[in-house]
Amino acid sequence: GENVEQHPSTLSVQEGDSAVIKCTYSDSASNYFPWYKQELGKGPQLIIDIRSNVGEKKDQRIAVTLNKTAKHFSLHITETQPEDSAVYFCAASIPGAQKLVFGQGTRLTINP
Amino acid sequence: KAGVTQTPRYLIKTRGQQVTLSCSPISGHRSVSWYQQTPGQGLQFLFEYFSETQRNKGNFPGRFSGRQFSNSRSEMNVSTLELGDSALYLCASSLKGSPVTQETQYFGPGTRLLVL
């Protein structure tokens, strides 16, 4: 069935350190994996995405890696800053439908 | 370019009532999807519309319905409200909503519904 598992559910890191959030998906046909950041009182905002034809993508301090064989993908944030504090969601596409299945979210707190 | 807008932002209803939420997609976007977000269930897909037609539907009861107008604006309706319908309802738009290329979905701020 359609399922995305996300770990950890909460993550606290010191400012300047790195943060890693991991997701596992169930449908091997999924081919698009976005990451969203949601701040209090706002809707999810896309921060980075990756498609199944690449293994890694980087945008400044943010990177995403994809292992299709293991059905894992991960978000890496380096040199974390207080404004990185938010809830992060991973998602996987459902083949044949404009539909995303989301992980349960990770509450990331950056400690100054 | 303006983002996805949703109205109203907050709503309080009582059990048994019905509610209509509105979503205006990014200009030029023709696909509109709706999601329900709750602390317990997370973000769950409700349905997706393209060119005034519902193309995909999630696992929600028939009390949840929607429609899309010719200008791509969309509404969702929940009838006979239950306490468990309290949630943040999010709308997302994409250009064509191609299930093949899987376009980026851009979310609005949501409508927070409280059912008493």
Side-chain angles (χ1 to χ4, degrees):
Chain A
E2 307 163 353
N3 187 45
V4 174
E5 292 191 7
Q6 182 173 346
H7 299 280
S9 56
T10 60
L11 180 59
S12 182
V13 302
Q14 288 297 122
E15 183 178 353
D17 288 349
S18 295
V20 179
I21 302 170
K22 298 182 179 182
C23 289
T24 303
Y25 60 99
S26 59
D27 194 330
S28 57
S30 292
N31 59 3
Y32 173 65
F33 307 92
W35 285 88
Y36 287 88
K37 174 184 180 183
Q38 187 173 27
E39 296 173 310
L40 201 61
K42 297 183 178 180
Q45 300 296 308
L46 180 77
I47 56 171
I48 196 166
D49 56 14
I50 192 167
R51 298 183 188 274
S52 58
N53 56 346
V54 299
E56 184 172 359
K57 184 176 178 181
K58 191 172 181 181
D59 182 5
Q60 299 182 351
R61 296 186 297 108
I62 295 172
V64 58
T65 59
L66 172 65
N67 183 329
K68 284 221 73 178
T69 303
K71 292 189 280 187
H72 288 169
F73 58 114
S74 300
L75 177 71
H76 304 251
I77 305 175
T78 58
E79 301 172 13
T80 53
Q81 301 167 4
E83 53 265 36
D84 294 330
S85 294
V87 179
Y88 290 81
F89 291 95
C90 63
S93 63
I94 299 304
Q98 180 70 356
K99 173 183 173 182
L100 296 173
V101 175
F102 285 84
Q104 287 295 310
T106 296
R107 182 172 298 280
L108 175 63
T109 302
I110 308 302
N111 301 308
Chain B
K1 198 181 259 191
V4 178
T5 58
Q6 292 187 244
T7 57
R9 292 293 311 277
Y10 304 93
L11 208 48
I12 300 176
K13 292 285 187 179
T14 55
R15 277 182 301 173
Q17 287 187 310
Q18 69 140 16
V19 67
T20 299
L21 313 181
S22 180
C23 170
S24 292
I26 292 171
S27 178
H29 284 196
R30 295 172 62 193
S31 169
V32 174
S33 299
W34 288 89
Y35 293 82
Q36 181 195 64
Q37 185 176 25
T38 59
Q41 299 298 316
L43 276 149
Q44 298 210 301
F45 174 79
L46 280 156
F47 28 65
E48 185 248 349
Y49 286 86
F50 178 79
S51 289
E52 303 177 64
T53 300
Q54 185 184 92
R55 290 196 300 192
N56 297 290
K57 191 176 190 304
N59 295 325
F60 280 82
R63 299 185 298 106
F64 291 82
S65 63
R67 60 177 176 168
Q68 187 180 34
F69 301 94
S70 58
N71 62 357
S72 296
R73 190 177 70 85
S74 177
E75 288 181 347
M76 69 162 279
N77 183 276
V78 188
S79 62
T80 320
L81 284 165
E82 300 177 0
L83 296 179
D85 296 333
S86 294
L88 181 67
Y89 290 89
L90 293 159
C91 159
S93 76
S94 62
L95 197 58
K96 290 183 285 189
S98 170
V100 176
T101 60
Q102 292 293 336
E103 298 166 348
T104 299
Q105 293 187 38
Y106 298 90
F107 283 84
T111 293
R112 186 163 296 283
L113 171 65
L114 177 62
V115 182
L116 300 175

